[in-house]
Amino acid sequence: MPIIVLTDQLASQIAAGEVVERPASVVKELIENAIDAGAKTINVDIRGGGRELVQVADNGYGIGGGEVETAFLRHATSKLESAEDLKSIRTLGFRGEALAAIAAVSRVTAVSRSVDESAGTRLTLEGGKLTSKEIVGAPQGTVIAVANLFYNVPARLKFLKSVTTEKRLIDEYVTRYALAYPGIRFRLTHDNRITFQSIGGNLLDVLTAVYGPDTAKQLLVLRAQGRTSSDETEEKATTPSSDMPATIEVSGYVAPPDLNWSNRNQITLYVNGRWIKDNRLTYAVIQAYHTLLPVGRFPLAVVFMSMPPEMVDVNVHPAKTEVRFRQANAVFGAIQRTVRQTLISDSPIPHATHFSSITDPALFASGDQKGHVQTGDPIDTSELDLKWNTELSTGFGAEGDSIESPQMTDSAGKLPIMRVVGQVGASYIITEGPEGLYLIDQHAAHERVLYEKFMSAWEENGTQEGMVSQGLVSGIAVQLSPSQATILGDQLELMERIGFQIEPFGPNTFMVRSVPAMLTKLDPARSVQEVVEDLERGDAPLQSRIESRIILRVCKSAAVKAGQTLSRQEMEAMVRQLEGCRNPHTCPHGRPTLIHLSATQLAREFGRK
Ligand code: ADP
Ligand code: MG
C-alpha cells in the first residue's frame, strides 16, 4: 500500500478511537469542559443511552463568537500554551482534542455565548464538517448536543454495550463529577426523566443524593490522627497530618466497616478534582480496612487527594483517567494511613458476630418453600465463601450464569443414603454411607437444595405465573444509587416473575411489596440490594442470564451460611433433601457440595492395605 497523508477527518476519527469510546466518554469530556469553564449549573440530557443524544448545557463563561468554530478543530485549546504548561495542568482538559473527536463521529449542534458578548453563536457540524453557523439569542454559557454518535463509524457502534450498561456508565460519570464538585448543580435526565440531581451544596449533600440518606449519614469524615471530634468540619478534615508529606492532602468520606459492598465499585478516587482509576490506590483503601471487613466484602470510600499539579502527570492516558504520581509511595501511604486512622478512631464498635442456631427444623422439610431462619449477620464469613465470592466478582463463569438443565447432569449419579455423624467447624456435615465417609459443605448443599426446589416450582407454575411470592405486611422502601436504580428499574418485570414485587417509589427509591417465599425470613431491602449488586457486577448479561443470575442470588441469600451451628434434625433434613436432588454433587455455581473419602482410601491412608 502506498503511504499517504491521512485526511484531517480520518485523522480525527482515529483520535476519536482513543477519546470517544462510547456515549459515556462524550458525557465525560463535555462535563469536563463545562467545569473548566467555571459553570455553576450543568445539565446532562441523554436519549437512548446516549446513542441518540448526549446534550450538556452549562452556564460557564462560554465561547466567543469568533472562536466557536476553532474550538472544533483538532488540537485547538485555550488551556495550554507551551509544552512547559503540560508539567502543571490545572484544568481537566488540555489536549484540545475532545470537541474535534466528538464532532468527527456524530452530528453536533453547539450554541454558546461568552460572558462579554450580547449574542450567541450556533454551529452545526456533521462528521466534523461545518454545516451551518448563525448568530442567535442565547443565555450565557454553552450547550453542546451530540446526536447519532458513531453514525458514520458503524464498527464502533458494535462495541457498545446494551442501553442499560451505557446508561449506567453515564450515571457513573455524572455522579462522580457531582461528588468532586459539590458546589455545582448537576442534573441528569435519561429520556426526559430526571435520574440524578445535586443541589449545589456540600459534599454530604451530594453523597446523600448518590448513596441515599441511610448510607450517607453513616459515613465517616476522613481525618488524620490526633484530631478531636470538635475538629470534625470538612475543612479541618482536609488538613494533612504532620507525619505525611505536607504537599499531599487527603480528604473525603469513608464508610464504617459494617457498611460494605460485594465489589470495589464504591471506591472513588480523585486527584486535584479529577476522577482517576488507580488499582494501587484502590488497594490502599482496601488495605486500610484490613481485618475490619468480612472477607470478600469491600468498603465505600470517596477520597480526594490534592497536591501541587507538578506532582502528578495527567498526560498519560487519552481519557486522562490514569495518572502518574511523582511520589507514588507517599500517595499510597497518605491514603492508607488517613483511612486507617479514621476507621480506628471514629468507626463504631463492631457488633460481635453471632450465629444463632436454626431452631425450626421444619424449614428444611421437603415441600416447604421457605428458606432458613437467619438472625445473624447475612454476610458469608467462611474462607470458602471468600474464595468463591472473589471468583464471582471477577465475572460469573459461563456455567454459573446459565440455568442448568437438571436432567443433563443426572449421570453424575444420585447420592447413597447417608447417616449423619456430626458437624465440623459449624460449616461441614460429616456423614457415613455404604462407600465410606462424606464431608458436606452445608452452604453449597443448601444452595443446591433450594435451587432445585425453586426451579421445579418455576417449571410447575410456568414462567407466566411467576414464582411463589410472599407479600410483605407493609412495603419496604429501598434506596439505591442512581446506577443501581437504573439497573433495577429495567428488570422490574423479570423480578416480579421471580417473586419480587417492586414498584418505583420516587427518585432512586423502590417499594418492595413482596419477595420470593424462600426469602421471607430475611431483610427484604437487603435481599433486593444483593440482587442488584450481583447484576451490577461486570457487564450486563443477556436477559436470559439476568434471570438465572437473580435466581442464583436468591438461592444463595436464602441458603444457610457457613458458620451456623445446625441441630442434628436440621442436618438430617438437609442430607435427606440433598439425597433427593437430581444433581446433588455441585452447588448451582458448580462448586462441589461434598467430598467423598472412600472406605478403600481410608484403609490405604491408615496403611491397612
Ligand atoms: P480541551 O478541553 O482539551 O481544551 P476541547 O476540545 O474539549 O479541548 O475544547 C476545546 C476548547 O473549547 C477549550 O479549550 C475551551 O476553550 C473551549 N470550550 C469547550 N467547551 C467549552 C465550554 N463548555 N465552555 C467554554 N469553553 C469551552
Ligand atoms: Mg475538553
Side-chain angles (χ1 to χ4, degrees):
M1 272 169 49
I3 296 175
I4 50 157
V5 177
L6 299 178
T7 61
D8 280 354
Q9 201 203 337
L10 192 49
S12 38
Q13 282 189 13
I14 293 167
E18 298 161 10
V19 188
V20 188
E21 251 185 297
R22 52 179 3 110
S25 1
V26 175
V27 172
K28 172 179 184 288
E29 294 295 335
L30 297 182
I31 289 181
E32 290 188 351
N33 282 346
I35 294 171
D36 282 345
K40 287 281 151 263
T41 302
I42 300 177
N43 292 336
V44 181
D45 297 305
I46 307 296
R47 281 214 309 262
R51 288 187 203 194
E52 283 170 45
L53 180 77
V54 170
Q55 178 177 298
V56 175
D58 69 59
N59 63 352
Y61 51 63
I63 313 174
E67 287 190 327
V68 190
E69 221 178 306
T70 320
F72 284 90
L73 297 181
R74 271 198 83 191
H75 305 301
T77 177
S78 58
K79 301 168 193 174
L80 204 60
E81 273 179 342
S82 66
E84 196 53 29
D85 293 348
L86 264 181
K87 293 198 183 128
S88 57
I89 298 291
R90 285 163 205 279
T91 46
L92 294 171
F94 56 88
R95 291 214 172 96
E97 268 182 338
L99 288 186
I102 292 166
V105 293
S106 65
R107 299 190 169 96
V108 169
T109 307
V111 180
S112 192
R113 177 167 78 77
S114 84
V115 224
D116 31 45
E117 285 177 330
S118 52
T121 308
R122 182 175 183 278
L123 289 193
T124 56
L125 298 97
E126 243 179 73
K129 291 236 160 57
L130 187 71
T131 49
S132 77
K133 179 176 178 179
E134 56 189 327
I135 306 291
V136 291
Q140 182 202 317
T142 307
V143 183
I144 310 266
V146 179
N148 312 119
L149 187 64
F150 301 139
Y151 80 100
N152 55 352
V153 221
R156 297 215 71 84
L157 273 180
K158 289 208 197 87
F159 285 97
L160 295 188
K161 301 271 166 58
S162 67
V163 168
T164 315
T165 307
E166 298 296 337
K167 277 185 184 174
R168 176 152 53 88
L169 291 167
I170 291 171
D171 293 350
E172 213 169 81
Y173 277 114
V174 176
T175 51
R176 263 139 195 177
Y177 276 104
L179 286 167
Y181 298 87
I184 300 178
R185 300 157 68 96
F186 282 84
R187 197 202 64 198
L188 169 67
T189 70
H190 281 288
D191 305 306
N192 296 322
R193 223 186 45 187
I194 297 180
T195 59
F196 175 77
Q197 219 165 357
S198 67
I199 56 169
N202 60 29
L203 179 55
L204 201 54
D205 295 327
V206 191
L207 286 166
T208 307
V210 176
Y211 292 107
D214 290 346
T215 299
K217 69 169 180 254
Q218 294 183 59
L219 300 180
L220 312 170
V221 180
L222 271 183
R223 59 203 188 101
Q225 205 174 30
R227 296 182 185 282
T228 59
S229 50
S230 58
D231 281 345
E232 217 170 314
T233 64
E234 240 175 86
E235 205 185 4
K236 288 273 170 56
T238 64
T239 316
S241 82
S242 50
D243 63 339
M244 62 175 77
T247 41
I248 305 168
E249 293 176 13
V250 178
S251 65
Y253 282 83
V254 291
D258 57 344
L259 194 65
N260 48 61
W261 274 256
S262 64
N263 57 46
R264 54 194 77 195
N265 290 355
Q266 317 301 337
I267 301 172
T268 312
L269 304 168
Y270 302 88
V271 133
N272 294 344
R274 182 190 306 279
W275 176 33
I276 59 157
K277 289 182 183 163
D278 189 313
N279 286 335
R280 201 159 164 264
L281 295 184
T282 301
Y283 182 64
V285 174
I286 294 171
Q287 249 220 331
Y289 281 81
H290 186 59
T291 70
L292 299 174
L293 282 182
V295 283
R297 302 291 296 180
F298 298 92
L300 181 156
V302 177
V303 179
F304 298 95
M305 290 162 264
S306 80
M307 60 190 78
E310 305 79 58
M311 287 183 65
V312 44
D313 184 3
V314 291
N315 192 17
V316 179
H317 187 261
K320 299 163 288 179
T321 46
E322 279 161 36
V323 298
R324 213 175 283 137
F325 295 101
R326 212 132 292 171
Q327 297 177 21
N329 291 340
V331 177
F332 185 98
I335 291 189
Q336 204 243 19
R337 212 164 28 240
T338 312
V339 174
R340 185 76 182 175
Q341 285 167 358
T342 304
L343 291 173
I344 287 171
S345 51
D346 292 358
S347 62
I349 297 151
H351 309 293
T353 335
H354 92 136
F355 296 100
S356 62
S357 75
I358 297 159
T359 47
D360 180 6
L363 288 168
F364 290 104
S366 48
D368 188 336
Q369 281 286 327
K370 275 183 249 164
H372 71 284
V373 184
Q374 195 208 354
T375 51
D377 196 321
I379 290 154
D380 300 335
T381 49
S382 75
E383 270 297 317
L384 222 63
D385 263 297
L386 161 66
K387 269 207 233 107
W388 83 278
N389 256 338
T390 11
E391 270 162 38
L392 281 183
S393 46
T394 57
F396 267 67
E399 79 273 3
D401 239 14
S402 53
I403 294 190
E404 64 187 55
S405 144
Q407 292 83 352
M408 255 168 51
T409 39
D410 264 5
S411 57
K414 289 232 167 205
L415 293 181
I417 304 296
M418 297 180 286
R419 180 179 73 86
V420 171
V421 178
Q423 193 185 21
V424 264
S427 301
Y428 308 103
I429 303 169
I430 309 175
T431 66
E432 185 200 3
E435 275 306 329
L437 181 86
Y438 297 81
L439 262 175
I440 299 176
D441 179 324
Q442 64 192 41
H443 174 69
H446 198 206
E447 259 191 294
R448 162 57 58 190
V449 167
L450 293 173
Y451 178 73
E452 292 204 2
K453 267 189 202 171
F454 195 106
M455 290 315 287
S456 67
W458 174 273
E459 278 152 26
E460 247 174 59
N461 292 346
T463 45
Q464 289 315 305
E465 299 279 330
M467 269 311 299
V468 182
S469 160
Q470 186 78 55
L472 302 172
V473 181
S474 57
I476 307 256
V478 201
Q479 217 316 211
L480 299 173
S481 72
S483 64
Q484 291 180 329
T486 307
I487 293 173
L488 183 60
D490 287 338
Q491 302 301 343
L492 291 181
E493 216 181 295
L494 181 58
M495 292 287 281
E496 179 152 4
R497 286 202 278 133
I498 291 169
F500 288 99
Q501 225 179 43
I502 302 172
E503 300 158 9
F505 192 73
N508 305 320
T509 308
F510 293 84
M511 188 59 86
V512 186
R513 302 259 175 228
S514 66
V515 294
M518 68 168 74
L519 293 179
T520 40
K521 303 259 163 120
L522 301 181
D523 171 11
R526 184 76 212 124
S527 302
V528 171
Q529 225 136 17
E530 283 179 337
V531 168
V532 179
E533 278 175 29
D534 264 3
L535 293 180
E536 200 180 21
R537 241 195 288 263
D539 295 336
L542 300 173
Q543 195 67 18
S544 60
R545 296 202 161 185
I546 292 181
E547 197 168 271
S548 57
R549 217 179 254 198
I550 297 173
I551 294 172
L552 290 174
R553 164 45 69 184
V554 167
C555 296
K556 181 170 164 54
S557 297
V560 62
K561 303 291 180 281
Q564 284 181 290
T565 309
L566 304 179
S567 71
R568 177 160 291 272
Q569 273 169 303
E570 288 160 356
M571 288 190 272
E572 268 163 10
M574 173 102 79
V575 170
R576 289 294 88 77
Q577 288 183 65
L578 189 64
E579 287 165 0
C581 281
R582 286 194 273 190
N583 183 17
H585 293 268
T586 58
C587 80
H589 301 92
R591 206 155 61 77
T593 51
L594 79 177
I595 296 171
H596 180 199
L597 263 176
S598 70
T600 331
Q601 253 173 307
L602 285 172
R604 198 182 321 116
E605 292 295 330
F606 284 109
R608 286 174 167 272
K609 265 185 192 166

